Amino acid sequence: MKKRLAAIPKWVPAVLSALLWVGVLILLWEMGARKMDVTKRTPENVLPHLKNIWNALISTKKVAGGKTALGIVMSGAGMTLIRALYGFIAGSVLGFGLALMMKLSGVVERLIFPYLMLIQMIPILGLAPIVLSITGDINVSRIVIAGILTFYPVAANTLAGFNSVEREKYELMYTYAASKGTIYRKVLIPQAIPYFFTGLKIAAPMAITASILVDTLQGDGGLGCILSQSLKHAMSIYVFWIIVFFSAIIGILSSKLMGLLEILVLPNKRRRRARV
């Protein structure tokens, strides 16, 4: 029996678990949709059946501006994801740089780190108007908000990586009379890279969410703008649900993409996983 279990590929349990959870969520969704069927409210406005959302997704019927529901979502997605990407890249670079500065100087850490935590406690929709009033440009504000939400998890996790270096490694480098720059290149930065990727995996979905939410402040075709319009019945309500599912899937895939990038950058981690 144990030999048979050992022969099962390691990815099979994970896939079966994911399929089980998807099945449970689908069942709960359809139960809710059936409950809405017997109410006086229009079911698709509250909780439509999944088959209706799928039919709207593949339909060739034009719903607004001569575009299908899928076409509208894809056109808005391109604009939103580009802004999220710019903010994500800027926030990642700045977050890593600040973590390095905080490690180099305890004074910088004590002065800056508490305020970073404070910024993260402000709701996105409360922070967005402030950033918009400062920048005066809705497109710039979207990038800035995505960068801010990326900034903290990357900085905090990278700093944790720097601080995780064992004392013995420092002592070994001092024994070899290594310079401070060498210690950072050979020990601290390599140690912090896995933590850096942990921050990226957390920040990637947050940057996309931030970009969508800020899109709702001003209409110019982003996903958030289309989301608001569909809720106001300016187009098919199914566009709203397509955006909801699309955003969830893109958020999950963005985190998984950071995981794949981590494996490419850190081949040793890939080999350790293979031995587990």
Side-chain angles (χ1 to χ4, degrees):
M1 185 66 178
K2 291 183 178 179
K3 290 183 179 180
R4 290 181 179 177
L5 291 175
I8 298 176
K10 296 177 181 178
W11 54 266
V12 171
V15 172
L16 291 178
S17 177
L19 291 176
L20 175 62
W21 278 107
V22 169
V24 170
L25 290 175
I26 290 175
L27 177 62
L28 293 175
W29 183 289
E30 287 300 313
M31 289 173 60
R34 288 184 180 275
K35 179 67 175 177
M36 291 298 106
D37 285 341
V38 299
T39 66
K40 295 181 179 180
R41 301 180 67 182
T42 307
E44 60 266 20
N45 289 353
V46 182
L47 193 67
H49 289 284
L50 292 174
K51 65 177 182 180
N52 294 340
I53 300 175
W54 174 255
N55 290 336
L57 179 67
I58 62 176
S59 174
T60 57
K61 180 181 177 181
K62 305 296 188 296
V63 296
K67 295 181 180 180
T68 63
L70 179 60
I72 291 173
V73 173
M74 288 297 102
S75 63
M79 301 171 66
T80 298
L81 294 179
I82 285 295
R83 296 164 186 149
L85 178 61
Y86 288 158
F88 177 72
I89 293 173
S92 300
V93 173
L94 292 174
F96 185 88
L98 183 61
L100 186 59
M101 289 176 59
M102 289 190 291
K103 181 60 180 177
L104 286 168
S105 173
V107 175
V108 174
E109 181 180 358
R110 288 191 294 270
L111 287 175
I112 296 179
F113 197 74
Y115 295 101
L116 292 180
M117 298 179 64
L118 182 62
I119 291 174
Q120 291 299 305
M121 295 172 65
I122 302 175
I124 299 173
L125 293 180
L127 185 62
I130 298 174
V131 175
L132 178 59
S133 65
I134 294 173
T135 61
D137 189 319
I138 186 66
N139 292 321
V140 174
S141 67
R142 288 174 174 126
I143 296 173
V144 171
I145 293 294
I148 289 174
L149 290 189
T150 301
F151 186 75
Y152 178 77
V154 171
N157 280 276
T158 304
L159 182 61
F162 287 136
N163 292 332
S164 69
V165 176
E166 299 86 349
R167 182 178 178 180
E168 291 77 8
K169 292 184 179 180
Y170 283 107
E171 293 175 348
L172 178 62
M173 297 302 289
Y174 291 145
T175 300
Y176 287 104
S179 65
K180 195 171 186 178
T182 301
I183 294 175
Y184 271 84
R185 290 195 309 271
K186 300 293 185 180
V187 178
L188 287 170
I189 292 178
Q191 179 84 7
I193 292 300
Y195 293 80
F196 172 69
F197 275 104
T198 299
L200 293 182
K201 285 183 277 190
I202 296 171
M206 294 176 65
I208 295 172
T209 301
S211 186
I212 293 173
L213 288 177
V214 179
D215 276 344
T216 62
L217 294 179
Q218 185 171 327
D220 68 344
L223 282 179
C225 173
I226 299 172
L227 198 74
S228 299
Q229 291 176 356
S230 63
L231 283 175
K232 296 173 183 177
H233 300 280
M235 60 185 71
S236 171
I237 190 64
Y238 288 113
V239 173
F240 167 83
W241 293 107
I242 294 173
I243 292 175
V244 169
F245 280 99
F246 176 83
S247 302
I249 292 171
I250 290 298
I252 294 171
L253 291 179
S254 67
S255 184
K256 294 297 183 182
L257 179 60
M258 293 301 105
L260 292 175
L261 183 60
E262 179 184 13
I263 293 174
L264 293 175
V265 173
L266 302 172
N268 291 333
K269 186 170 185 177
R270 178 176 55 195
R271 288 194 290 267
R272 286 197 299 270
R273 285 183 177 179
R275 290 197 296 266
V276 175

